[in-house]
Coordinates of all heavy atoms in Angstrom, one line a residue:
F141 N -13.9 -2.5 -3.9 CA -12.6 -2.5 -3.2 C -12.7 -3.3 -2.0 O -13.4 -3.0 -1.0 CB -12.2 -1.1 -2.9 CG -10.7 -0.9 -2.4 CD1 -9.7 -1.0 -3.3 CD2 -10.4 -0.7 -1.1 CE1 -8.4 -0.8 -3.0 CE2 -9.1 -0.5 -0.7 CZ -8.1 -0.6 -1.6
D142 N -12.0 -4.5 -1.9 CA -12.1 -5.3 -0.7 C -10.7 -5.9 -0.4 O -9.8 -5.9 -1.3 CB -13.2 -6.4 -0.9 CG -12.9 -7.4 -2.0 OD1 -11.9 -8.2 -1.8 OD2 -13.6 -7.4 -3.0
D143 N -10.6 -6.4 0.8 CA -9.3 -6.9 1.2 C -8.8 -8.1 0.4 O -7.6 -8.2 0.1 CB -9.3 -7.3 2.7 CG -10.5 -8.2 3.1 OD1 -11.6 -8.1 2.5 OD2 -10.3 -9.0 4.0
V144 N -9.7 -9.0 0.0 CA -9.3 -10.2 -0.8 C -8.7 -9.8 -2.2 O -7.6 -10.2 -2.6 CB -10.4 -11.2 -0.9 CG1 -10.0 -12.3 -1.9 CG2 -10.8 -11.7 0.4
R145 N -9.5 -8.9 -2.8 CA -9.0 -8.5 -4.1 C -7.7 -7.6 -4.1 O -6.8 -7.8 -4.9 CB -10.1 -7.6 -4.8 CG -9.7 -7.3 -6.2 CD -10.9 -6.8 -7.0 NE -10.4 -6.3 -8.3 CZ -11.1 -5.9 -9.2 NH1 -12.4 -5.8 -9.1 NH2 -10.6 -5.5 -10.4
A146 N -7.6 -6.8 -3.1 CA -6.4 -6.0 -2.9 C -5.2 -6.9 -2.7 O -4.1 -6.7 -3.3 CB -6.6 -5.0 -1.7
E147 N -5.4 -7.9 -1.9 CA -4.2 -8.8 -1.6 C -3.9 -9.6 -2.9 O -2.7 -9.7 -3.2 CB -4.5 -9.8 -0.5 CG -3.4 -10.7 -0.2 CD -3.6 -11.6 1.1 OE1 -4.7 -11.5 1.7 OE2 -2.6 -12.3 1.4
E148 N -4.9 -10.1 -3.6 CA -4.6 -10.8 -4.8 C -3.9 -9.9 -5.9 O -3.0 -10.4 -6.5 CB -5.9 -11.3 -5.4 CG -6.6 -12.4 -4.7 CD -8.0 -12.8 -5.2 OE1 -8.5 -12.0 -6.1 OE2 -8.5 -13.8 -4.7
T149 N -4.3 -8.7 -6.0 CA -3.7 -7.8 -6.9 C -2.3 -7.5 -6.6 O -1.4 -7.5 -7.4 CB -4.6 -6.5 -7.0 OG1 -5.9 -6.8 -7.4 CG2 -4.0 -5.5 -8.0
L150 N -2.0 -7.2 -5.3 CA -0.7 -6.9 -4.9 C 0.3 -8.1 -5.1 O 1.4 -7.9 -5.6 CB -0.7 -6.4 -3.4 CG 0.6 -5.8 -3.0 CD1 0.3 -4.6 -2.1 CD2 1.5 -6.8 -2.4
R151 N -0.2 -9.3 -4.7 CA 0.6 -10.5 -4.9 C 0.9 -10.8 -6.4 O 2.0 -11.2 -6.7 CB 0.0 -11.7 -4.2 CG 0.0 -11.5 -2.7 CD -0.5 -12.8 -2.0 NE -0.5 -12.6 -0.5 CZ 0.5 -12.7 0.3 NH1 1.7 -13.0 -0.2 NH2 0.4 -12.5 1.6
K152 N -0.1 -10.5 -7.2 CA 0.1 -10.7 -8.7 C 1.1 -9.7 -9.2 O 2.0 -10.1 -10.0 CB -1.3 -10.6 -9.4 CG -1.2 -10.8 -10.9 CD -2.5 -10.6 -11.5 CE -2.4 -10.7 -13.1 NZ -3.6 -10.4 -13.8
L153 N 1.0 -8.5 -8.8 CA 2.0 -7.5 -9.2 C 3.4 -7.9 -8.8 O 4.3 -7.8 -9.6 CB 1.6 -6.1 -8.7 CG 2.6 -5.0 -8.9 CD1 2.7 -4.7 -10.4 CD2 2.1 -3.7 -8.2
A154 N 3.5 -8.3 -7.6 CA 4.9 -8.7 -7.1 C 5.4 -9.8 -7.9 O 6.6 -9.8 -8.3 CB 4.8 -9.1 -5.6
S155 N 4.6 -10.8 -8.3 CA 5.0 -11.9 -9.1 C 5.4 -11.4 -10.5 O 6.4 -11.9 -11.0 CB 3.9 -12.9 -9.2 OG 4.3 -14.0 -10.0
E156 N 4.6 -10.5 -11.0 CA 4.9 -10.1 -12.4 C 6.2 -9.3 -12.5 O 6.9 -9.3 -13.5 CB 3.7 -9.2 -12.9 CG 2.5 -9.9 -13.2 CD 1.3 -9.0 -13.5 OE1 1.4 -7.8 -13.5 OE2 0.2 -9.6 -13.8
I157 N 6.5 -8.6 -11.4 CA 7.8 -7.8 -11.5 C 9.0 -8.5 -10.8 O 10.1 -8.0 -10.8 CB 7.6 -6.4 -10.9 CG1 7.2 -6.4 -9.4 CG2 6.6 -5.6 -11.7 CD1 7.1 -5.0 -8.8
G158 N 8.7 -9.7 -10.4 CA 9.8 -10.6 -9.9 C 10.3 -10.3 -8.5 O 11.5 -10.5 -8.2
I159 N 9.4 -9.8 -7.6 CA 9.9 -9.6 -6.2 C 8.9 -10.3 -5.3 O 7.8 -10.7 -5.7 CB 9.9 -8.1 -5.9 CG1 8.5 -7.4 -6.0 CG2 10.9 -7.3 -6.8 CD1 8.5 -6.0 -5.5
S160 N 9.3 -10.4 -4.0 CA 8.4 -11.1 -3.1 C 7.3 -10.1 -2.7 O 7.4 -8.9 -2.8 CB 9.2 -11.5 -1.8 OG 9.4 -10.3 -1.0
A161 N 6.1 -10.7 -2.4 CA 5.0 -9.9 -2.0 C 5.3 -9.0 -0.8 O 4.9 -7.9 -0.7 CB 3.8 -10.8 -1.7
A162 N 6.1 -9.5 0.1 CA 6.5 -8.8 1.3 C 7.2 -7.5 0.9 O 7.1 -6.5 1.6 CB 7.4 -9.6 2.2
D163 N 8.0 -7.5 -0.2 CA 8.7 -6.3 -0.7 C 7.7 -5.2 -1.1 O 8.1 -4.0 -1.3 CB 9.6 -6.6 -1.8 CG 10.9 -7.4 -1.3 OD1 11.1 -7.3 -0.1 OD2 11.5 -8.0 -2.1
L164 N 6.4 -5.5 -1.4 CA 5.4 -4.5 -1.6 C 4.5 -4.3 -0.4 O 4.1 -3.1 -0.2 CB 4.5 -5.0 -2.8 CG 5.2 -4.9 -4.2 CD1 4.2 -5.4 -5.3 CD2 5.6 -3.5 -4.5
I165 N 4.2 -5.3 0.3 CA 3.3 -5.2 1.4 C 3.9 -4.3 2.5 O 3.2 -3.4 3.0 CB 3.0 -6.6 2.0 CG1 2.1 -7.4 1.0 CG2 2.2 -6.5 3.4 CD1 1.9 -8.9 1.4
H166 N 5.1 -4.5 2.9 CA 5.7 -3.7 4.0 C 5.8 -2.2 3.7 O 5.4 -1.4 4.5 CB 7.0 -4.3 4.5 CG 6.8 -5.7 5.1 ND1 6.0 -5.9 6.2 CD2 7.2 -6.9 4.6 CE1 6.0 -7.2 6.4 NE2 6.7 -7.8 5.5
P167 N 6.3 -1.8 2.5 CA 6.3 -0.4 2.2 C 4.8 0.2 2.0 O 4.6 1.3 2.5 CB 7.0 -0.3 0.8 CG 7.8 -1.6 0.7 CD 7.0 -2.6 1.5
A168 N 3.9 -0.6 1.5 CA 2.5 -0.2 1.4 C 2.0 0.1 2.8 O 1.3 1.1 3.0 CB 1.7 -1.2 0.7
R169 N 2.3 -0.8 3.7 CA 1.8 -0.7 5.1 C 2.3 0.6 5.7 O 1.6 1.4 6.3 CB 2.3 -1.8 6.0 CG 1.9 -1.8 7.4 CD 2.6 -2.8 8.3 NE 2.7 -4.1 7.6 CZ 1.7 -5.0 7.6 NH1 0.6 -4.8 8.2 NH2 2.0 -6.2 7.0
L170 N 3.6 0.9 5.5 CA 4.2 2.2 6.0 C 3.5 3.4 5.4 O 3.2 4.4 6.1 CB 5.7 2.2 5.7 CG 6.4 3.4 6.3 CD1 6.3 3.5 7.8 CD2 7.9 3.3 5.9
C171 N 3.3 3.3 4.1 CA 2.6 4.5 3.4 C 1.2 4.7 3.8 O 0.8 5.8 4.0 CB 2.6 4.2 1.9 SG 4.2 4.1 1.1
I172 N 0.5 3.6 4.0 CA -0.9 3.7 4.3 C -1.2 4.0 5.8 O -2.1 4.8 6.1 CB -1.7 2.4 3.9 CG1 -1.6 2.4 2.3 CG2 -3.1 2.4 4.3 CD1 -1.9 1.0 1.8
T173 N -0.4 3.4 6.7 CA -0.7 3.5 8.1 C 0.3 4.4 8.8 O 0.0 4.9 9.9 CB -0.7 2.1 8.8 OG1 0.7 1.6 8.8 CG2 -1.6 1.1 8.2
G174 N 1.4 4.6 8.2 CA 2.5 5.4 8.9 C 3.2 4.6 9.9 O 4.1 5.1 10.7
H175 N 3.0 3.3 10.0 CA 3.7 2.4 10.9 C 4.2 1.2 10.2 O 3.7 0.7 9.2 CB 2.7 1.9 12.0 CG 2.1 3.0 12.8 ND1 2.7 3.6 13.8 CD2 0.9 3.6 12.7 CE1 1.9 4.5 14.3 NE2 0.8 4.6 13.6
S176 N 5.3 0.6 10.7 CA 5.9 -0.5 10.1 C 5.2 -1.8 10.5 O 5.4 -2.9 9.9 CB 7.4 -0.6 10.4 OG 7.6 -0.7 11.8
V177 N 4.5 -1.8 11.6 CA 3.7 -2.9 12.1 C 2.3 -2.5 12.3 O 2.0 -1.4 12.8 CB 4.3 -3.4 13.4 CG1 3.5 -4.6 14.0 CG2 5.8 -3.8 13.3
S178 N 1.4 -3.3 11.8 CA -0.1 -3.0 12.0 C -0.9 -4.3 11.9 O -0.3 -5.4 11.6 CB -0.5 -2.0 10.9 OG -0.6 -2.7 9.6
A179 N -2.2 -4.1 12.0 CA -3.1 -5.3 11.7 C -3.0 -5.6 10.2 O -2.2 -4.9 9.5 CB -4.5 -4.8 12.1
N180 N -3.7 -6.6 9.8 CA -3.6 -7.0 8.4 C -3.9 -5.8 7.5 O -4.9 -5.1 7.5 CB -4.8 -8.0 8.2 CG -4.8 -8.5 6.8 OD1 -4.9 -7.8 5.8 ND2 -4.7 -9.9 6.6
I181 N -2.9 -5.5 6.6 CA -2.9 -4.3 5.8 C -4.1 -4.3 4.8 O -4.6 -3.3 4.5 CB -1.5 -4.1 5.1 CG1 -1.5 -2.7 4.4 CG2 -1.3 -5.2 4.1 CD1 -1.7 -1.5 5.3
F182 N -4.4 -5.5 4.4 CA -5.5 -5.5 3.4 C -6.9 -5.2 4.1 O -7.7 -4.6 3.5 CB -5.5 -6.9 2.7 CG -4.2 -7.1 2.1 CD1 -3.3 -8.0 2.6 CD2 -3.8 -6.4 0.9 CE1 -2.1 -8.3 1.9 CE2 -2.6 -6.6 0.3 CZ -1.7 -7.5 0.8
V183 N -7.0 -5.6 5.3 CA -8.2 -5.3 6.1 C -8.3 -3.8 6.3 O -9.3 -3.1 6.2 CB -8.3 -6.1 7.4 CG1 -9.5 -5.6 8.3 CG2 -8.5 -7.6 7.1
I184 N -7.1 -3.2 6.7 CA -7.0 -1.8 6.9 C -7.4 -1.0 5.6 O -8.1 0.0 5.6 CB -5.6 -1.4 7.4 CG1 -5.4 -1.9 8.8 CG2 -5.4 0.2 7.3 CD1 -4.0 -1.7 9.3
M185 N -6.9 -1.5 4.5 CA -7.2 -0.9 3.2 C -8.7 -0.9 2.9 O -9.3 0.1 2.5 CB -6.5 -1.6 2.1 CG -5.0 -1.4 2.1 SD -4.0 -2.4 1.0 CE -4.5 -1.7 -0.6
K186 N -9.3 -2.0 3.2 CA -10.8 -2.2 3.1 C -11.5 -1.2 3.9 O -12.5 -0.5 3.5 CB -11.2 -3.6 3.4 CG -12.7 -3.8 3.3 CD -13.1 -5.2 3.6 CE -14.6 -5.5 3.6 NZ -14.9 -6.8 3.9
M187 N -11.1 -1.1 5.2 CA -11.7 -0.1 6.1 C -11.6 1.3 5.7 O -12.5 2.1 5.8 CB -11.2 -0.3 7.5 CG -11.5 -1.7 8.2 SD -10.6 -2.0 9.7 CE -11.1 -0.6 10.7
L188 N -10.4 1.7 5.2 CA -10.2 3.0 4.8 C -10.9 3.4 3.5 O -11.3 4.5 3.3 CB -8.7 3.3 4.6 CG -7.8 3.3 5.8 CD1 -6.4 3.4 5.5 CD2 -8.2 4.5 6.7
G189 N -11.0 2.4 2.6 CA -11.6 2.6 1.3 C -10.6 3.0 0.3 O -9.5 3.5 0.6
Q190 N -11.0 2.7 -1.0 CA -10.1 2.9 -2.1 C -9.6 4.4 -2.2 O -8.4 4.6 -2.4 CB -10.7 2.5 -3.4 CG -9.8 2.6 -4.6 CD -10.5 2.0 -5.9 OE1 -11.7 1.7 -5.8 NE2 -9.8 2.0 -6.9
N191 N -10.5 5.3 -2.1 CA -10.0 6.7 -2.3 C -9.0 7.2 -1.2 O -8.0 7.8 -1.5 CB -11.3 7.7 -2.2 CG -12.1 7.5 -3.4 OD1 -11.7 7.0 -4.5 ND2 -13.4 7.9 -3.3
K192 N -9.2 6.8 0.0 CA -8.3 7.2 1.1 C -7.0 6.4 0.9 O -5.9 7.0 1.1 CB -8.9 6.8 2.5 CG -8.0 7.2 3.7 CD -7.7 8.7 3.7 CE -8.8 9.5 4.2 NZ -8.4 11.0 4.4
V193 N -7.0 5.2 0.5 CA -5.7 4.4 0.3 C -4.9 5.1 -0.8 O -3.7 5.3 -0.7 CB -6.0 2.9 0.0 CG1 -4.8 2.2 -0.5 CG2 -6.6 2.2 1.2
I194 N -5.6 5.4 -1.9 CA -4.9 6.1 -3.0 C -4.4 7.4 -2.6 O -3.2 7.8 -3.0 CB -5.8 6.2 -4.3 CG1 -6.1 4.8 -4.8 CG2 -5.3 7.1 -5.3 CD1 -7.2 4.7 -5.9
E195 N -5.2 8.2 -1.9 CA -4.7 9.5 -1.4 C -3.4 9.3 -0.5 O -2.5 10.1 -0.7 CB -5.8 10.1 -0.5 CG -5.5 11.4 0.1 CD -6.6 11.9 1.0 OE1 -7.7 11.8 0.7 OE2 -6.2 12.4 2.1
R196 N -3.4 8.4 0.4 CA -2.2 8.2 1.2 C -1.0 7.7 0.4 O 0.1 8.2 0.7 CB -2.5 7.2 2.3 CG -3.5 7.8 3.4 CD -3.7 6.9 4.5 NE -4.7 7.5 5.5 CZ -4.9 7.0 6.7 NH1 -4.3 5.9 7.1 NH2 -5.8 7.6 7.4
L197 N -1.2 6.8 -0.6 CA -0.1 6.4 -1.4 C 0.4 7.6 -2.2 O 1.7 7.8 -2.3 CB -0.5 5.3 -2.3 CG -0.8 3.9 -1.6 CD1 -1.4 3.0 -2.6 CD2 0.4 3.4 -1.0
N198 N -0.5 8.4 -2.8 CA 0.0 9.6 -3.5 C 0.7 10.6 -2.7 O 1.7 11.2 -3.1 CB -1.2 10.2 -4.2 CG -1.7 9.4 -5.4 OD1 -1.0 8.7 -6.0 ND2 -3.0 9.6 -5.7
N199 N 0.2 10.8 -1.4 CA 0.9 11.7 -0.5 C 2.3 11.2 -0.2 O 3.2 12.0 -0.1 CB 0.1 11.9 0.8 CG -1.2 12.7 0.6 OD1 -1.3 13.5 -0.4 ND2 -2.1 12.6 1.5
F200 N 2.4 10.0 0.0 CA 3.7 9.4 0.3 C 4.7 9.6 -0.9 O 5.8 10.0 -0.7 CB 3.6 7.9 0.7 CG 4.9 7.4 1.3 CD1 5.2 7.6 2.6 CD2 5.8 6.6 0.5 CE1 6.4 7.1 3.1 CE2 7.0 6.1 1.0 CZ 7.3 6.4 2.3
E201 N 4.2 9.3 -2.1 CA 5.0 9.5 -3.3 C 5.4 11.0 -3.4 O 6.6 11.2 -3.7 CB 4.2 9.1 -4.5 CG 5.0 9.3 -5.8 CD 4.1 9.1 -7.0 OE1 2.9 9.1 -7.0 OE2 4.7 8.9 -8.1
M202 N 4.6 11.9 -3.1 CA 4.9 13.3 -3.2 C 6.0 13.7 -2.2 O 6.9 14.4 -2.5 CB 3.7 14.2 -3.0 CG 2.8 14.3 -4.2 SD 1.5 15.5 -4.1 CE 0.5 14.9 -2.7
R203 N 5.9 13.1 -1.0 CA 6.9 13.4 0.0 C 8.3 12.8 -0.4 O 9.3 13.4 -0.2 CB 6.5 12.8 1.4 CG 5.4 13.6 2.1 CD 5.2 13.1 3.5 NE 4.9 11.7 3.6 CZ 3.7 11.3 3.9 NH1 2.7 12.1 4.1 NH2 3.5 10.0 4.0
L204 N 8.3 11.6 -1.0 CA 9.5 11.0 -1.5 C 10.1 11.9 -2.6 O 11.3 12.1 -2.7 CB 9.3 9.6 -2.0 CG 9.1 8.5 -1.0 CD1 8.8 7.2 -1.7 CD2 10.3 8.4 -0.1
Q205 N 9.3 12.4 -3.5 CA 9.8 13.2 -4.6 C 10.4 14.5 -4.0 O 11.5 14.9 -4.5 CB 8.7 13.6 -5.6 CG 8.2 12.4 -6.4 CD 7.0 12.8 -7.3 OE1 6.5 13.9 -7.2 NE2 6.6 11.9 -8.2
H206 N 9.8 15.0 -3.0 CA 10.4 16.2 -2.4 C 11.8 15.9 -1.7 O 12.7 16.7 -1.8 CB 9.4 16.8 -1.3 CG 9.9 18.0 -0.6 ND1 10.0 19.2 -1.2 CD2 10.4 18.1 0.7 CE1 10.5 20.1 -0.3 NE2 10.8 19.4 0.8
V207 N 11.9 14.8 -1.1 CA 13.2 14.4 -0.5 C 14.2 14.1 -1.5 O 15.4 14.5 -1.3 CB 12.9 13.2 0.4 CG1 14.3 12.6 0.9 CG2 12.1 13.5 1.6
Y208 N 13.9 13.5 -2.6 CA 14.9 13.1 -3.6 C 15.1 14.0 -4.8 O 15.7 13.6 -5.8 CB 14.6 11.6 -4.0 CG 14.8 10.7 -2.9 CD1 13.7 10.1 -2.2 CD2 16.1 10.3 -2.5 CE1 14.0 9.2 -1.2 CE2 16.3 9.5 -1.4 CZ 15.2 8.9 -0.8 OH 15.4 8.0 0.2
T209 N 14.5 15.2 -4.7 CA 14.7 16.1 -5.8 C 15.5 17.4 -5.3 O 15.7 17.6 -4.2 CB 13.4 16.6 -6.4 OG1 12.6 17.2 -5.4 CG2 12.7 15.5 -7.1

């Protein structure tokens, strides 16, 4: 799990689903850091590690489900 691969993967996903990378990067930043502005999100992801990043994304998803159900 590294910053270069994370960025490549996210940008590829954005392209595959037909949206801009920013439309994934900014929400991911909010989910992972809790802030709309931060240092390079991919470096932060590398520092946190894959397990912590996945945990934070899953926690955010659960909060959204609670709000919208």
Side-chain angles (χ1 to χ4, degrees):
F141 191 75
D142 64 69
D143 52 327
V144 173
R145 185 168 174 175
E147 183 172 2
E148 288 172 353
T149 301
L150 194 143
R151 290 184 184 281
K152 181 180 176 186
L153 174 62
S155 176
E156 288 174 358
I157 61 177
I159 63 173
S160 74
D163 288 341
L164 287 179
I165 292 170
H166 296 298
R169 178 189 322 277
L170 184 59
C171 295
I172 294 165
T173 68
H175 300 280
S176 60
V177 177
S178 72
N180 183 303
I181 188 60
F182 303 107
V183 172
I184 292 171
M185 291 169 71
K186 179 181 177 181
M187 292 171 58
L188 290 171
Q190 183 175 5
N191 291 337
K192 183 57 81 173
V193 169
I194 291 170
E195 176 185 321
R196 290 185 180 190
L197 291 171
N198 286 337
N199 286 342
F200 191 81
E201 178 186 19
M202 285 189 296
R203 287 191 301 252
L204 284 177
Q205 288 175 355
H206 178 73
V207 169
Y208 292 105
T209 56

